[in-house]
């Protein structure tokens, strides 16, 4: 970055807080102590540490935050949340950043674009069947995005799971799928994009 | 004081003064409007608003109006009575009327500071002022009550705060009782090796003072003793002290130490030794203990377990051991009390991810103080838990339990400095060791403190900015095997960092004593949610409490270092000395009285009185209040089933008139017509 | 005792052993599990990453069904992710009026409604430890698992439910340790017992996941565990199915079977291994199970904790539990 930072536009911070449940306004009280980033199991893979992300949110660096891979590397282990000395719901904030990144159309620029793709494949199955379906999700996800991975899957672990009777060939469908679809369609109307 | 007779037959002439307090009040409340509105009350003779009522000019305004306009009552609407009630009462008195014909309305703390809503604040100010006006017309002249001050003082806690306060008072010629829970005075300071930033040997500067306490004829030292009960009020406290049995006749003991030497029982020394060393079942905490005679620990003594052993008794050259000694109860009377009960160290076991108690080479700060001390269990050698291996690398972890909503929210103030001191001591003892300080923010305000930080930077300590996330012994690669690994973010680099080291020192914060709430109840004074005792005013009365005659000093009021503790102890001593010199104080005439002719003699009030100020007249079969003992708390007033007890300055008429005044704009609820 | 039962997608197939063993132990423990009829997927950790309101509506359909089907107010989920999602939805619906209003409207479109707080979501471990209790479990032990060294593995989502009180310590949980001890097995020191298995990272960033799985396997192996007992299908899958990949990547040779704690309970209760889903694990547990002996081992102190005479005393720990 060649430009120096200008004053903090407050809107991005407010957007992030509004998108998050629980005590998200505690984000204001971040002490920049780094407990979250020190606790993070996938922290070393992130381009910005969670603490840095919070400083960037405060500085209004919306594009940089939503393009970063930080939230996509979150494994949802909640260590940051229980250890944060200011009781900031960090794991939930990471989920908010994921959603905002998709909505802003930025996620493909993060170097972990597989993550949203996996989530979307997974949920397509759930939306259509009511249940998830490992084999279907994995093959479709890999065929669509990572064909090499699909071959590995079919010959390696997938095969093992299959022979152990731990993988279905066809998905299970719930009885009242139309009810679920009505609920989810209504929820999507109320909940914005995606 | 019959309520019924207090209804004024003719109108009073009340002067009302609304203070701007600069913009503190006038910035939110429309003071002119409130003053103008107050004139509507028929009892109000004059109503003004003024910039600073507490200034000389403001006070003179009241005096002048009383004299010129013949005012009979005064109301000032300004700040809290805690700040200026005294000021305005005196102005009222100088004007020529009884100071208890003055009433104060708090429109700052209860009004302008409580909201930004100007209209609502103004409306509330009107209600508060009206309540005060309606009340003041029912107030009656009262006279203050003189109370003699007993010149003896009780000091609770024999750490550096209690020692300092005791010596200040005793050396000025006053009688002091110094009560200490442990077997010796000295407190935490006696456990510490060196003091920052000057690196004085803690014992070297403390023990001469301890000796002075032991030798001063004006100090009655009661160690291994606890306060059981406190009665009375400023100038006249009666305190019940339990002097626990040491199983030793103090007059016979020569402090020769043979009993300690011969005792076969070895237990972990949890108190003075911080759990790092051992002591005997009969022991002195340390050789320079004051008093010098030992304490017998009944819980661990073989004789008390199975009736055998008696080694100490057999070998004692003066037959001082007395197994069947009983606790002694002493009742002492004092005029003032100083609480100097100190602090507890935050227990790092509460943070499991730091591994204290689970990972052997994680040490608490007090363990390290004992270890690095030449008279400690390792004779000053810094070693791992195995007792022999010198660490090649040491990590010092700041903010353990501090600045954390999960534990203590506050900054404990002393830990950055003592962490720097630890780093220095490691460098000094093991020059080739690598030393890390993991810190959130480096806080070194104090004389010579920042300079000490610079010194440590020069000594080569590695400072890593970032709160430690976890400490583990689970290595991921050969470099980490067999080490402790500190996992944190290096926040200046934005990178997660795993630092393999041999030894961890946890810089725990200070917290209130575990029993501070009970102690505050015993002495009938306040403590905050965090357990620290509450001072009367955070800036202007830091060692006084809301209870007259009870003062606080040192870490029982909040985390602080030795210089600050000593300064507070001196301040508390001078507050007490002032009262002793005065000899007499004037007390508020807020007292209860019983209308004897209407008393049914049910005696309900007798046992409720927390000050034992109610006696029962067996002949007349009525209860009577001993005015000198009554503190005006109002318990009996509320409890009396016949409503024949009056609380002066808080009569039913006065309180009801104030309420009526407050609720002037409340309309009675419309009657519902039945369907 | 009667409980609503929410198996979740994993227990239908991939974690069938978990379901089968749960059913097998329920009988001797007098537990009646009534499955929520026509339940749907909880969304795992995926839906919440896409869209907030649909994610909560998806979960809430299950709560609404459970409340509607008269199967009692306690709903037991053996899967950690299902447990957290159900519990979190109930919690946030109660505390966020705006969320509740939107979810209500969505549920209404399907003819359903749910009042937060009417269902008490429990993880299976919680039910067994708190409701059944260690004593009742111990009473059912017929074939103690003597000599079997087990590393108890909790993972993340049960000990650390965000913003909600957990029934165990979020950093150093002990309930599973105690339960396994009651079965007669030896619990090994397993400091990483609440660390992450990598979650869905096995699908997204294998490098990240394999490193995390390696830490766990190494820690169990270093402490000489015969097997790892899990409470979560995701943890089981990652540690079991990716063990080969870890060995290939890092040149290690781990063969640590990963079983569900309920399988061990069933075994100790004397239920045949077949009925408990043994054999479905990819890293075979056969060799480990053969170590079980009829005789109780001599109590040996962990060598790490033995104090030499020259050593300094350890801080006294407050009584656990």
């Amino acid at each position: 970055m060649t430009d120096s930072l200008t004053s903090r536009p407050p809107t991005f911070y407010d957007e992030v807080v509004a998108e998050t449940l629980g005590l998200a306004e505690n984000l204001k009280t971040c002490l920049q102590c780094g407990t979250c980033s020190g606790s993070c199991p996938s922290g070393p893979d992130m381009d910005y540490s969670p603490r840095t992300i919070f400083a960037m949110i405060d500085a209004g660096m919306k594009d940089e935050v939503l393009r970063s891979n930080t939230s996509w590397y979150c494994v949802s282990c909640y260590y940051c949340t229980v250890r944060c000395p200011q009781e900031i719901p960090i794991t939930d904030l990471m989920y908010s950043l994921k959603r905002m990144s998709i909505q802003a159309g930025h996620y493909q620029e993060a170097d972990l674009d597989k993550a949203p793709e996996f989530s979307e494949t997974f949920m397509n199955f759930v939306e259509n069947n009511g249940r998830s379906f490992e084999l279907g999700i994995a093959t479709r996800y890999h065929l669509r995005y990572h064909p090499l991975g699909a071959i590995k899957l079919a010959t390696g672990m997938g095969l093992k799971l299959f022979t152990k009777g731990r993988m279905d060939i066809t998905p299970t469908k719930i009885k009242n799928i139309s009810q679920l679809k009505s609920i989810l369609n209504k929820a999507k109307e109320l909940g914005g994009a995606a | 004081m019959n309520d019924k007779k207090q209804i004024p037959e003719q109108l009073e002439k009340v002067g009302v003064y609304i203070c701007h307090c600069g913009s503190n009040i006038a910035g939110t409340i429309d003071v002119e409007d409130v003053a103008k509105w107050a004139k509507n009350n028929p009892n109000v003779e004059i109503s003004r608003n003024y910039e600073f009522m507490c200034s000389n000019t403001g006070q003179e305004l009241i005096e002048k109006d009383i004299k010129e306009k013949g005012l009979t009552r005064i109301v000032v609407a300004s700040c809290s009575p805690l700040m200026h009630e005294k000021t305005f009462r005196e102005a009222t008195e100088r004007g020529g009327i009884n100071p208890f014909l003055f009433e104060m309305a708090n429109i700052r703390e209860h009004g302008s500071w409580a909201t930004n809503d100007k209209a609502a604040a103004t409306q509330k100010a009107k209600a508060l002022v009206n309540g005060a006006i309606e009340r003041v017309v029912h107030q009656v002249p009262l006279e203050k009550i003189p109370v003699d001050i007993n010149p003896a003082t009780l000091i609770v806690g024999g750490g550096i705060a209690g020692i300092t306060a005791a010596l200040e008072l005793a050396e000025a010629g006053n009688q002091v009782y110094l009560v200490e829970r442990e077997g010796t005075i000295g407190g935490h300071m006696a456990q510490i090796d060196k003091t920052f930033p000057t690196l004085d040997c803690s014992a070297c500067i403390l023990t001469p003072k301890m000796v002075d306490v032991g030798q001063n004829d004006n100090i009655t030292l009661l160690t291994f003793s606890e306060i059981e009960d406190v009665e009375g009020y400023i100038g006249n406290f009666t305190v019940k002290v339990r002097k626990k049995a040491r199983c030793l006749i103090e007059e016979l003991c020569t402090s020769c130490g043979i009993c300690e030497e011969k005792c076969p029982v070895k237990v972990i020394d949890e108190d003075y030794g911080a759990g790092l060393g051992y002591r005997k079942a009969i022991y002195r905490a340390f050789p320079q203990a004051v008093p010098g005679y030992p304490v017998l620990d009944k819980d661990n003594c073989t004789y008390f377990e199975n009736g055998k052993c008696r080694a100490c008794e057999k070998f004692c050259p003066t037959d001082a051991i007395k197994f069947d000694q009983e606790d002694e109860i002493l009742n002492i009377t004092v005029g003032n009390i100083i609480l100097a009960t100190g602090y507890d160290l935050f227990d790092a076991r509460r943070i499991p991810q730091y591994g204290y108690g689970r990972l052997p080479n994680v040490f608490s700060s007090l363990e390290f103080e004992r270890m690095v001390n030449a008279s400690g269990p390792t004779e000053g050698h810094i070693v791992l838990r195995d007792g022999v291996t010198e660490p090649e690398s040491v990590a010092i972890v700041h903010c353990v339990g501090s600045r954390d909503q999960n534990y203590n929210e506050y900054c404990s103030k002393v830990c950055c400095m003592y962490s720097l001191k630890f780093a220095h001591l490691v460098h000094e003892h093991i020059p080739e060791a690598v030393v890390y300080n993991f810190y959130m923010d480096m806080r070194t305000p104090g004389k010579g403190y920042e300079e000490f930080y610079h010194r440590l930077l020069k000594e080569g300590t590695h400072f890593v900015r970032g709160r430690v996330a976890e400490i583990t012994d689970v290595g991921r690669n050969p470099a980490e095997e067999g080490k402790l690994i500190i996992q944190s973010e290096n926040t200046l680099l934005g990178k997660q960092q795993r630092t393999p080291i041999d030894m961890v020192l946890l810089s725990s914060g200070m917290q209130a004593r575990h029993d501070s709430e009970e102690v505050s109840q015993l002495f009938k004074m306040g403590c905050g949610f965090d357990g620290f005792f509450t001072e009367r005013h955070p800036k202007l009365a830091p060692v006084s409490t809301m209870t007259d005659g009870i003062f606080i000093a040192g870490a029982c009021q909040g985390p602080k270092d030795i210089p600050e503790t000593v300064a507070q102890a001196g301040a508390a001593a001078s507050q007490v000395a002032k009262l002793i010199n005065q000899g007499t104080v004037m007390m508020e005439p807020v007292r209860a009285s019983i209308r004897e002719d209407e008393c049914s003699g049910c005696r309900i009030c007798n046992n409720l009185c927390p000050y034992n100020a109610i006696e029962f007249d067996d002949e007349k079969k009525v209860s009577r209040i001993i005015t000198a003992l009554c503190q005006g708390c109002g318990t009996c007033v509320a409890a009396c089933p016949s409503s024949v007890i009056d609380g002066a300055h808080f009569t039913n008429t006065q309180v009801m008139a104030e309420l009526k005044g407050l609720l002037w704009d409340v309309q009675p609820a419309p009657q519902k017509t039945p369907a | 005792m009667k409980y609503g039962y929410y198996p979740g997608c994993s227990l239908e197939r991939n974690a069938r052993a978990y379901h089968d063993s749960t059913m097998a132990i329920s009988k001797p423990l007098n537990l009646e599990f009534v499955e929520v009829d026509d339940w749907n997927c909880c969304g795992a950790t995926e839906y919440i990453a896409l869209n907030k309101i649909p994610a909560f509506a998806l979960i809430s359909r299950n709560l609404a069904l459970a409340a509607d089907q008269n199967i009692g107010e306690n709903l037991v989920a053996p899967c950690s992710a299902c447990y957290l999602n159900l519990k979190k939805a109930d919690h946030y619906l109660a505390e966020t009026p705006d969320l509740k209003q939107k979810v209500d409207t969505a549920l209404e479109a399907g003819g359903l409604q749910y009042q937060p707080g009417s269902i008490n979501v429990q993880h299976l471990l919680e039910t067994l430890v708190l409701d059944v209790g260690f004593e009742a479990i111990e009473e059912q032990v017929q074939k103690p698992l003597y000599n079997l060294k087990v590393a108890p593995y909790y993972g993340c989502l049960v000990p650390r439910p965000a913003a909600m009180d957990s029934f165990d310590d979020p950093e150093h949980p002990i309930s599973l340790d105690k339960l396994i001890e009651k079965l007669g097995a030896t619990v090994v020191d397993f400091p990483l017992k609440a660390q992450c298995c990598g979650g869905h990272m096995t699908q997204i960033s294998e490098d990240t996941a394999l490193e995390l799985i390696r830490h766990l396997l190494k820690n169990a192996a270093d402490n000489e565990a015969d097997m790892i007992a899990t409470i979560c299908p995701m943890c089981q899958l990652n540690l079991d199915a990716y063990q080969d990949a870890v060995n290939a990547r890092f040149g290690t040779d781990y063969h640590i079977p990963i079983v569900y704690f309920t399988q061990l309970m069933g075994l100790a209760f004397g239920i045949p291994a077949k009925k408990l889903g043994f054999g479905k694990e990819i890293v075979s547990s056969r060799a480990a199970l053969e170590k079980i002996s009829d005789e109780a081992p001599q109590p040996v102190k962990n060598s790490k904790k033995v104090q030499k005479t020259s050593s300094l005393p350890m801080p006294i720990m407050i009584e656990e539990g």
Side-chain angles (χ1 to χ4, degrees), chain B residues 276 349 385-386 476 481, chain C residues 215 218 312-313 316:
Chain B
L276 196 71
R349 283 170 280 220
R385 193 73 67 174
D386 66 6
R476 292 179 184 169
E481 296 294 343
Chain C
H215 300 161
K218 179 177 188 303
L312 300 163
I316 295 163

mmCIF file with all atom_site columns, all heavy atoms in Angstrom, chain B residues 276 349 385-386 476 481, chain C residues 215 218 312-313 316:
data_model
loop_
_atom_site.group_PDB
_atom_site.id
_atom_site.type_symbol
_atom_site.label_atom_id
_atom_site.label_alt_id
_atom_site.label_comp_id
_atom_site.label_asym_id
_atom_site.label_entity_id
_atom_site.label_seq_id
_atom_site.pdbx_PDB_ins_code
_atom_site.Cartn_x
_atom_site.Cartn_y
_atom_site.Cartn_z
_atom_site.occupancy
_atom_site.B_iso_or_equiv
_atom_site.pdbx_formal_charge
_atom_site.auth_seq_id
_atom_site.auth_comp_id
_atom_site.auth_asym_id
_atom_site.auth_atom_id
_atom_site.pdbx_PDB_model_num
ATOM 1   N N   . LEU B 1 276 ? 6.769  -23.306 47.670 1.00 0.00 ? 276 LEU B N   1
ATOM 2   C CA  . LEU B 1 276 ? 7.988  -23.803 47.025 1.00 0.00 ? 276 LEU B CA  1
ATOM 3   C C   . LEU B 1 276 ? 8.902  -24.529 48.004 1.00 0.00 ? 276 LEU B C   1
ATOM 4   O O   . LEU B 1 276 ? 9.718  -25.362 47.621 1.00 0.00 ? 276 LEU B O   1
ATOM 5   C CB  . LEU B 1 276 ? 8.745  -22.642 46.374 1.00 0.00 ? 276 LEU B CB  1
ATOM 6   C CG  . LEU B 1 276 ? 9.808  -23.051 45.368 1.00 0.00 ? 276 LEU B CG  1
ATOM 7   C CD1 . LEU B 1 276 ? 9.154  -23.589 44.101 1.00 0.00 ? 276 LEU B CD1 1
ATOM 8   C CD2 . LEU B 1 276 ? 10.726 -21.889 45.008 1.00 0.00 ? 276 LEU B CD2 1
ATOM 9   N N   . ARG B 1 349 ? -3.850 -20.982 38.657 1.00 0.00 ? 349 ARG B N   1
ATOM 10  C CA  . ARG B 1 349 ? -4.508 -22.255 38.345 1.00 0.00 ? 349 ARG B CA  1
ATOM 11  C C   . ARG B 1 349 ? -5.853 -22.033 37.673 1.00 0.00 ? 349 ARG B C   1
ATOM 12  O O   . ARG B 1 349 ? -6.399 -22.930 37.041 1.00 0.00 ? 349 ARG B O   1
ATOM 13  C CB  . ARG B 1 349 ? -4.700 -23.080 39.627 1.00 0.00 ? 349 ARG B CB  1
ATOM 14  C CG  . ARG B 1 349 ? -3.434 -23.758 40.097 1.00 0.00 ? 349 ARG B CG  1
ATOM 15  C CD  . ARG B 1 349 ? -3.602 -24.342 41.469 1.00 0.00 ? 349 ARG B CD  1
ATOM 16  N NE  . ARG B 1 349 ? -3.452 -23.292 42.467 1.00 0.00 ? 349 ARG B NE  1
ATOM 17  C CZ  . ARG B 1 349 ? -2.799 -23.457 43.627 1.00 0.00 ? 349 ARG B CZ  1
ATOM 18  N NH1 . ARG B 1 349 ? -2.257 -24.616 43.917 1.00 0.00 ? 349 ARG B NH1 1
ATOM 19  N NH2 . ARG B 1 349 ? -2.703 -22.467 44.472 1.00 0.00 ? 349 ARG B NH2 1
ATOM 20  N N   . ARG B 1 385 ? 12.018 -27.258 38.275 1.00 0.00 ? 385 ARG B N   1
ATOM 21  C CA  . ARG B 1 385 ? 11.318 -27.918 39.380 1.00 0.00 ? 385 ARG B CA  1
ATOM 22  C C   . ARG B 1 385 ? 12.092 -29.131 39.899 1.00 0.00 ? 385 ARG B C   1
ATOM 23  O O   . ARG B 1 385 ? 11.883 -29.554 41.033 1.00 0.00 ? 385 ARG B O   1
ATOM 24  C CB  . ARG B 1 385 ? 9.918  -28.343 38.886 1.00 0.00 ? 385 ARG B CB  1
ATOM 25  C CG  . ARG B 1 385 ? 8.945  -28.767 39.958 1.00 0.00 ? 385 ARG B CG  1
ATOM 26  C CD  . ARG B 1 385 ? 8.378  -27.652 40.813 1.00 0.00 ? 385 ARG B CD  1
ATOM 27  N NE  . ARG B 1 385 ? 7.508  -26.732 40.101 1.00 0.00 ? 385 ARG B NE  1
ATOM 28  C CZ  . ARG B 1 385 ? 6.824  -25.749 40.702 1.00 0.00 ? 385 ARG B CZ  1
ATOM 29  N NH1 . ARG B 1 385 ? 6.891  -25.578 42.013 1.00 0.00 ? 385 ARG B NH1 1
ATOM 30  N NH2 . ARG B 1 385 ? 6.091  -24.928 39.999 1.00 0.00 ? 385 ARG B NH2 1
ATOM 31  N N   . ASP B 1 386 ? 13.004 -29.669 39.075 1.00 0.00 ? 386 ASP B N   1
ATOM 32  C CA  . ASP B 1 386 ? 13.781 -30.818 39.561 1.00 0.00 ? 386 ASP B CA  1
ATOM 33  C C   . ASP B 1 386 ? 14.764 -30.416 40.657 1.00 0.00 ? 386 ASP B C   1
ATOM 34  O O   . ASP B 1 386 ? 15.399 -31.269 41.278 1.00 0.00 ? 386 ASP B O   1
ATOM 35  C CB  . ASP B 1 386 ? 14.498 -31.519 38.402 1.00 0.00 ? 386 ASP B CB  1
ATOM 36  C CG  . ASP B 1 386 ? 15.581 -30.649 37.757 1.00 0.00 ? 386 ASP B CG  1
ATOM 37  O OD1 . ASP B 1 386 ? 15.861 -29.541 38.272 1.00 0.00 ? 386 ASP B OD1 1
ATOM 38  O OD2 . ASP B 1 386 ? 16.138 -31.077 36.726 1.00 0.00 ? 386 ASP B OD2 1
ATOM 39  N N   . ARG B 1 476 ? 5.991  -29.992 18.636 1.00 0.00 ? 476 ARG B N   1
ATOM 40  C CA  . ARG B 1 476 ? 5.603  -30.419 17.288 1.00 0.00 ? 476 ARG B CA  1
ATOM 41  C C   . ARG B 1 476 ? 6.803  -30.846 16.461 1.00 0.00 ? 476 ARG B C   1
ATOM 42  O O   . ARG B 1 476 ? 6.656  -31.445 15.413 1.00 0.00 ? 476 ARG B O   1
ATOM 43  C CB  . ARG B 1 476 ? 4.902  -29.269 16.565 1.00 0.00 ? 476 ARG B CB  1
ATOM 44  C CG  . ARG B 1 476 ? 3.567  -28.916 17.159 1.00 0.00 ? 476 ARG B CG  1
ATOM 45  C CD  . ARG B 1 476 ? 2.969  -27.746 16.399 1.00 0.00 ? 476 ARG B CD  1
ATOM 46  N NE  . ARG B 1 476 ? 1.714  -27.338 17.016 1.00 0.00 ? 476 ARG B NE  1
ATOM 47  C CZ  . ARG B 1 476 ? 1.073  -26.223 16.706 1.00 0.00 ? 476 ARG B CZ  1
ATOM 48  N NH1 . ARG B 1 476 ? 1.585  -25.402 15.797 1.00 0.00 ? 476 ARG B NH1 1
ATOM 49  N NH2 . ARG B 1 476 ? -0.055 -25.915 17.303 1.00 0.00 ? 476 ARG B NH2 1
ATOM 50  N N   . GLU B 1 481 ? 10.767 -30.422 21.431 1.00 0.00 ? 481 GLU B N   1
ATOM 51  C CA  . GLU B 1 481 ? 10.661 -31.571 22.330 1.00 0.00 ? 481 GLU B CA  1
ATOM 52  C C   . GLU B 1 481 ? 11.362 -31.293 23.665 1.00 0.00 ? 481 GLU B C   1
ATOM 53  O O   . GLU B 1 481 ? 12.471 -30.761 23.698 1.00 0.00 ? 481 GLU B O   1
ATOM 54  C CB  . GLU B 1 481 ? 11.282 -32.829 21.704 1.00 0.00 ? 481 GLU B CB  1
ATOM 55  C CG  . GLU B 1 481 ? 10.578 -33.334 20.450 1.00 0.00 ? 481 GLU B CG  1
ATOM 56  C CD  . GLU B 1 481 ? 9.168  -33.847 20.697 1.00 0.00 ? 481 GLU B CD  1
ATOM 57  O OE1 . GLU B 1 481 ? 8.813  -34.129 21.856 1.00 0.00 ? 481 GLU B OE1 1
ATOM 58  O OE2 . GLU B 1 481 ? 8.409  -33.946 19.706 1.00 0.00 ? 481 GLU B OE2 1
ATOM 59  N N   . HIS C 2 215 ? -0.585 -33.351 14.790 1.00 0.00 ? 215 HIS C N   1
ATOM 60  C CA  . HIS C 2 215 ? -0.344 -32.981 16.196 1.00 0.00 ? 215 HIS C CA  1
ATOM 61  C C   . HIS C 2 215 ? -1.068 -33.927 17.137 1.00 0.00 ? 215 HIS C C   1
ATOM 62  O O   . HIS C 2 215 ? -0.529 -34.378 18.141 1.00 0.00 ? 215 HIS C O   1
ATOM 63  C CB  . HIS C 2 215 ? -0.833 -31.551 16.502 1.00 0.00 ? 215 HIS C CB  1
ATOM 64  C CG  . HIS C 2 215 ? -0.176 -30.498 15.681 1.00 0.00 ? 215 HIS C CG  1
ATOM 65  N ND1 . HIS C 2 215 ? -0.718 -29.242 15.526 1.00 0.00 ? 215 HIS C ND1 1
ATOM 66  C CD2 . HIS C 2 215 ? 0.977  -30.497 14.982 1.00 0.00 ? 215 HIS C CD2 1
ATOM 67  C CE1 . HIS C 2 215 ? 0.067  -28.520 14.761 1.00 0.00 ? 215 HIS C CE1 1
ATOM 68  N NE2 . HIS C 2 215 ? 1.108  -29.260 14.406 1.00 0.00 ? 215 HIS C NE2 1
ATOM 69  N N   . LYS C 2 218 ? 0.311  -37.554 17.042 1.00 0.00 ? 218 LYS C N   1
ATOM 70  C CA  . LYS C 2 218 ? 1.619  -37.586 17.697 1.00 0.00 ? 218 LYS C CA  1
ATOM 71  C C   . LYS C 2 218 ? 1.460  -37.526 19.219 1.00 0.00 ? 218 LYS C C   1
ATOM 72  O O   . LYS C 2 218 ? 2.095  -38.285 19.955 1.00 0.00 ? 218 LYS C O   1
ATOM 73  C CB  . LYS C 2 218 ? 2.454  -36.396 17.222 1.00 0.00 ? 218 LYS C CB  1
ATOM 74  C CG  . LYS C 2 218 ? 3.842  -36.313 17.861 1.00 0.00 ? 218 LYS C CG  1
ATOM 75  C CD  . LYS C 2 218 ? 4.636  -35.154 17.291 1.00 0.00 ? 218 LYS C CD  1
ATOM 76  C CE  . LYS C 2 218 ? 6.082  -35.163 17.775 1.00 0.00 ? 218 LYS C CE  1
ATOM 77  N NZ  . LYS C 2 218 ? 6.221  -35.144 19.224 1.00 0.00 ? 218 LYS C NZ  1
ATOM 78  N N   . LEU C 2 312 ? 11.607 -29.553 43.841 1.00 0.00 ? 312 LEU C N   1
ATOM 79  C CA  . LEU C 2 312 ? 10.778 -28.607 44.574 1.00 0.00 ? 312 LEU C CA  1
ATOM 80  C C   . LEU C 2 312 ? 9.330  -29.075 44.516 1.00 0.00 ? 312 LEU C C   1
ATOM 81  O O   . LEU C 2 312 ? 8.917  -29.692 43.538 1.00 0.00 ? 312 LEU C O   1
ATOM 82  C CB  . LEU C 2 312 ? 10.901 -27.230 43.919 1.00 0.00 ? 312 LEU C CB  1
ATOM 83  C CG  . LEU C 2 312 ? 12.333 -26.683 43.898 1.00 0.00 ? 312 LEU C CG  1
ATOM 84  C CD1 . LEU C 2 312 ? 12.454 -25.542 42.891 1.00 0.00 ? 312 LEU C CD1 1
ATOM 85  C CD2 . LEU C 2 312 ? 12.736 -26.214 45.286 1.00 0.00 ? 312 LEU C CD2 1
ATOM 86  N N   . PRO C 2 313 ? 8.536  -28.777 45.554 1.00 0.00 ? 313 PRO C N   1
ATOM 87  C CA  . PRO C 2 313 ? 7.131  -29.234 45.517 1.00 0.00 ? 313 PRO C CA  1
ATOM 88  C C   . PRO C 2 313 ? 6.349  -28.575 44.391 1.00 0.00 ? 313 PRO C C   1
ATOM 89  O O   . PRO C 2 313 ? 6.588  -27.418 44.060 1.00 0.00 ? 313 PRO C O   1
ATOM 90  C CB  . PRO C 2 313 ? 6.587  -28.823 46.888 1.00 0.00 ? 313 PRO C CB  1
ATOM 91  C CG  . PRO C 2 313 ? 7.556  -27.867 47.463 1.00 0.00 ? 313 PRO C CG  1
ATOM 92  C CD  . PRO C 2 313 ? 8.871  -28.068 46.791 1.00 0.00 ? 313 PRO C CD  1
ATOM 93  N N   . ILE C 2 316 ? -0.126 -27.249 44.735 1.00 0.00 ? 316 ILE C N   1
ATOM 94  C CA  . ILE C 2 316 ? -1.221 -28.177 45.025 1.00 0.00 ? 316 ILE C CA  1
ATOM 95  C C   . ILE C 2 316 ? -2.412 -27.802 44.155 1.00 0.00 ? 316 ILE C C   1
ATOM 96  O O   . ILE C 2 316 ? -2.826 -26.652 44.118 1.00 0.00 ? 316 ILE C O   1
ATOM 97  C CB  . ILE C 2 316 ? -1.602 -28.099 46.526 1.00 0.00 ? 316 ILE C CB  1
ATOM 98  C CG1 . ILE C 2 316 ? -0.426 -28.584 47.360 1.00 0.00 ? 316 ILE C CG1 1
ATOM 99  C CG2 . ILE C 2 316 ? -2.857 -28.921 46.804 1.00 0.00 ? 316 ILE C CG2 1
ATOM 100 C CD1 . ILE C 2 316 ? -0.511 -28.194 48.814 1.00 0.00 ? 316 ILE C CD1 1
#
